[in-house]
Amino acid sequence: MRATVLYGPGDVRVENVPDARLIEPTDALVAVSRACICGSDLWPYKLMKPGEPARRMGHEAIGVVAAVGSGVRTLKVGHVVVMPFAYSDGTCAFCHEGLHTSCVHGGFFGTVELPGAQAEALRVPLADGTLFVLPVGADDALMASLLTLSDVMGTGHHAARAAKVARGKTAAVIGDGAVGLCAVIAARRLGAEQIIMIGHHPDRIALAKGFGATDVVKERGEEAVARVRALAGGLGVHSVLECVGTDQAMRTAIGIGRPGGAVGRVGVPHYEAIPGSEPAFYNNLTIGGGPAPVRAYIQELLPDVLEGKIEPGRVFDRVIGLDEVHDGYRAMNEREAIKVMVKP
């Protein structure tokens, strides 16, 4: 079968690899119908260090169950399923608490240890606890939005939850990538009265406004802080959804947070210590977030997708075949595309 393999910075290839197969009784084999490239895939694409082992990329997918192990109880061949970016058993203490990304037996797709989903097929460990059966056909018109439930919509929702977005409150979203745009959807869905998008790409800003952003701030750094605070009546916003992961983004988040407010960070952090911890302390800011337990959120978000109340699939602005994946990475890295869907 064919799969996407990353060898080094800018060196991503589609290669023939051994067919995915069942290994454990709790495995399922999924034929991938749709996958995508994530903003977090761009970090190793840009910064992979010499000597690091090659990895098969991709952690978001929708597909059809092709085979199940003898220990699988809830899945059948032919089921259309969405695959969250992390696998989990669904039975441990953390899964019961809705924190599937901390599952004691879990892990992440697209790592050196577990091949990813930018491929024709993949093995899904702990299939009963990981995969979610969708009540649709394999070519449903809602597939783009359903695919976002594997990561970006659930991650944007996690940012909103961690930032304590509430009805009638103010919110700001840092980052105009797919996660940030889905965070706008999430903030509006949870009732934020004012939603300020911090970004500067015209196509993304237009989409953010369509999703519910009430204001746009194109400045960066201290200028962005001043502008957001002015828009929020000089007091800062109740909720900050940080969807980038850089130290500058976190400094901005803390700078625009209202005393007593909250920051929900879902951008993978590229710093060791949280910058701006002193002002965060003196302003009683709550800082939360982390890898989104998207498996826990599918049940909540799915009805709104099926009913057309939210359309997160609009973040996909390019669809490619598996053989074009190198160009898909390039387009996202150069900001020519917001998010790329891959159809093997």
Side-chain angles (χ1 to χ4, degrees), residues 18-93:
D19 288 347
R21 61 185 180 85
L22 301 176
I23 297 176
E24 301 292 339
T26 52
D27 290 348
L29 184 64
V30 174
V32 177
S33 57
R34 287 165 180 81
C36 44
I37 300 171
C38 184
S40 62
D41 292 333
L42 299 181
W43 289 108
Y45 176 76
K46 292 185 290 188
L47 302 173
M48 189 172 181
K49 296 178 181 177
E52 285 189 52
R55 65 170 88 170
R56 280 158 55 182
M57 300 294 289
H59 53 257
E60 307 152 280
I62 281 179
V64 178
V65 175
V68 296
S70 60
V72 174
R73 298 288 177 262
T74 63
L75 301 166
K76 297 180 180 179
V77 172
H79 273 161
V80 178
V81 292
V82 59
M83 184 199 84
F85 66 83
Y87 64 92
S88 54
D89 61 19
T91 61
C92 79

Side-chain angles (χ1 to χ4, degrees), residues 82-212:
V82 59
M83 184 199 84
F85 66 83
Y87 64 92
S88 54
D89 61 19
T91 61
C92 79
F94 297 115
C95 287
H96 280 301
E97 294 171 7
L99 198 59
H100 294 70
T101 45
S102 292
C103 176
V104 296
H105 300 115
F108 299 91
F109 292 97
T111 62
V112 174
E113 294 77 20
L114 186 65
Q118 292 165 14
E120 293 178 321
L122 81 162
R123 177 181 75 94
V124 177
L126 305 174
D128 282 325
T130 302
L131 297 173
F132 191 98
V133 179
L134 296 171
V136 298
D139 292 310
D140 193 277
L142 294 173
M143 274 298 166
S145 286
L146 293 169
L147 180 56
T148 68
L149 299 180
S150 66
D151 187 346
V152 290
M153 185 61 230
T155 297
H157 180 69
H158 189 53
R161 288 292 191 195
K164 303 180 182 179
V165 173
R167 190 163 301 281
K169 302 295 185 179
T170 56
V173 176
I174 301 175
D176 58 8
V179 170
L181 292 167
C182 287
V184 173
I185 295 175
R188 182 181 184 186
R189 181 177 175 275
L190 294 176
E193 185 174 90
Q194 182 182 31
I195 304 171
I196 303 168
M197 162 58 79
I198 302 175
H200 61 278
H201 296 90
D203 55 338
R204 300 167 188 230
I205 288 171
L207 196 51
K209 290 180 177 178
F211 285 158

Side-chain angles (χ1 to χ4, degrees), residues 172-175 196-200 216-232 236-237 240 248-249 251-257:
V173 176
I174 301 175
I196 303 168
M197 162 58 79
I198 302 175
H200 61 278
V216 173
V217 170
K218 298 181 181 180
E219 293 86 351
R220 294 182 176 181
E222 292 303 317
E223 292 182 350
V225 171
R227 179 66 177 145
V228 172
R229 295 186 74 85
L231 287 169
V237 296
V240 185
Q248 183 188 66
R251 288 185 189 279
T252 299
I254 291 171
I256 65 179

